[in-house]
Amino acid sequence: MRRLALAVAAAAALTGGVAACGSSDDSGDSDKAKGSGKGGLGVSPIAALRTIENTTDKADSAKVESETTMGSVMSMKAEGALGWADGLTGNMTITYTGGQMAETMRRAGTTSMEARYLPEAYYAKMGEQFAAQAGGKHWVKYAYDDLERIGGGSGAYMKDAMQNSTPHQSVKMLLASGDVKKVGEEKVRGVDTTHYSGTVNVAELAEQSSGLSESQLADMKKQLEQAGITTETIDIWVNDENLLVKKTERGEMKTGRLSATAYYSDYGTEVSAEEPPADDTADFKDLMNQQPSM
């Protein structure tokens, strides 16, 4: 039960389609593009990305579909809606389709679960088999501060990834790469888009002309190193309103090949996520305290 709770916590950071990392936006408005609208797509890739990051950030919410594979550890699909106007909120349905994680979930009686994001905690609804071992409680609460305290450096990484798993994080990754090119005009699910691509080299994260603060770049580098990633290729497809339609990430991790694809639609959609009933919720911290040696 405790191992399952840990595995679910690790996977939760990936449901927004940001496989490698999230990066807290502590740079203030001065590091964001001041303009928005369609003009960004006609200028240099860096200037366009600054506009795209700003516009997507200000959209506040979107529907998300994602698929992620991380070597032999897991492959999964996620679908739902996320909001990021005031901390990450939303509801996702996660289905584990392969790897060790799918087998762990299968032994627990289900390969699919409901996930809820609130600004201070993440909640995962487990199956009946889990509830039978957890005093009848179906939900596990992961308070982000508890994850950081319990997990040390990896817990801090997990906390940051969960709280910042939003579409515009991939744009920041491209800005940080310093190696961005406009590939061309393409259709994605019937929508006209502009395709941008770049490769993030952890040892050579750009410090000039990226629009990111020094602390953001340092956090991003640390998170990629923790995941065992030396290089990562990121592609984004953007519509004529400077909003992400699709994002892919590809790279190598300590656990094997990383591949992640996410689609975004219905920006501005209404998102609501309620805290599950307390009497049906087990606390991750309490589960871990039952066996401190873990």
Side-chain angles (χ1 to χ4, degrees):
M1 181 175 67
R2 285 181 287 271
R3 288 179 179 176
L4 180 60
L6 282 166
V8 169
L14 311 178
T15 55
V18 182
C21 70
S23 178
S24 298
D25 185 4
D26 58 2
S27 60
D29 289 341
S30 61
D31 282 339
K32 291 184 178 180
K34 301 297 188 229
S36 60
K38 300 181 181 181
L41 296 181
V43 294
S44 72
I46 291 294
L49 288 177
R50 288 175 179 164
T51 300
I52 293 161
E53 189 275 328
N54 185 52
T55 305
T56 303
D57 183 15
K58 292 183 181 300
D60 291 344
S61 66
K63 291 183 179 179
V64 182
E65 299 173 53
S66 68
E67 294 189 23
T68 304
T69 298
M70 298 178 69
S72 61
V73 174
M74 72 170 175
S75 57
M76 70 177 190
K77 296 181 179 181
E79 183 175 1
L82 294 173
W84 51 90
D86 185 20
L88 188 65
T89 59
N91 298 276
M92 302 288 290
T93 298
I94 304 170
T95 302
Y96 299 92
T97 56
Q100 300 167 16
M101 184 62 182
E103 182 58 31
T104 299
M105 293 292 290
R106 194 173 293 111
R107 290 197 299 268
T110 181
T111 57
S112 183
M113 71 178 191
E114 181 183 346
R116 292 184 188 175
Y117 290 85
L118 279 82
E120 304 301 326
Y122 163 82
Y123 296 83
K125 187 176 184 180
M126 313 303 294
E128 293 297 334
Q129 192 169 324
F130 179 91
Q133 301 178 62
K137 297 178 179 181
H138 296 81
W139 291 87
V140 179
K141 175 184 178 180
Y142 299 90
Y144 298 133
D145 289 342
D146 289 341
L147 284 175
E148 185 173 19
R149 284 192 293 268
I150 294 170
S154 61
Y157 160 69
M158 200 181 300
K159 171 188 175 182
D160 188 75
M162 284 187 180
Q163 288 183 304
N164 296 282
S165 187
T166 57
H168 62 288
Q169 298 304 332
S170 57
V171 183
K172 289 183 179 180
M173 290 279 284
L174 276 177
L175 283 169
S177 74
D179 174 30
V180 185
K181 62 181 179 180
K182 179 179 176 180
V183 179
E185 309 295 329
E186 302 173 13
K187 279 190 178 292
V188 175
R189 294 183 168 181
V191 176
D192 292 327
T193 68
T194 302
H195 179 185
Y196 295 92
S197 181
T199 299
V200 177
N201 186 312
V202 177
E204 300 175 359
L205 280 175
E207 297 182 4
Q208 303 295 327
S209 302
S210 69
L212 301 182
S213 69
E214 183 177 342
S215 61
Q216 282 180 310
L217 288 166
D219 286 346
M220 193 175 290
K221 183 175 182 179
K222 180 180 178 181
Q223 290 164 0
L224 289 167
E225 288 174 342
Q226 286 175 331
I229 295 176
T230 56
T231 61
E232 182 177 359
T233 301
I234 299 173
D235 289 78
I236 63 171
W237 289 258
V238 185
N239 65 17
D240 62 2
E241 295 180 337
N242 289 333
L243 295 169
L244 263 69
V245 174
K246 178 183 177 182
K247 184 270 322 240
T248 65
E249 295 182 22
R250 303 183 307 280
E252 294 290 337
M253 306 181 70
K254 293 177 181 177
T255 57
R257 182 71 176 168
L258 161 69
S259 175
T261 300
Y263 293 91
Y264 306 99
S265 62
D266 294 324
Y267 281 93
T269 189
E270 184 176 347
V271 175
S272 62
E274 296 182 359
E275 185 176 342
D279 59 2
D280 196 25
T281 303
D283 196 293
F284 173 72
K285 176 178 63 177
D286 295 337
L287 293 176
M288 294 303 101
N289 287 340
Q290 292 175 20
Q291 187 176 338
S293 62
M294 286 203 59

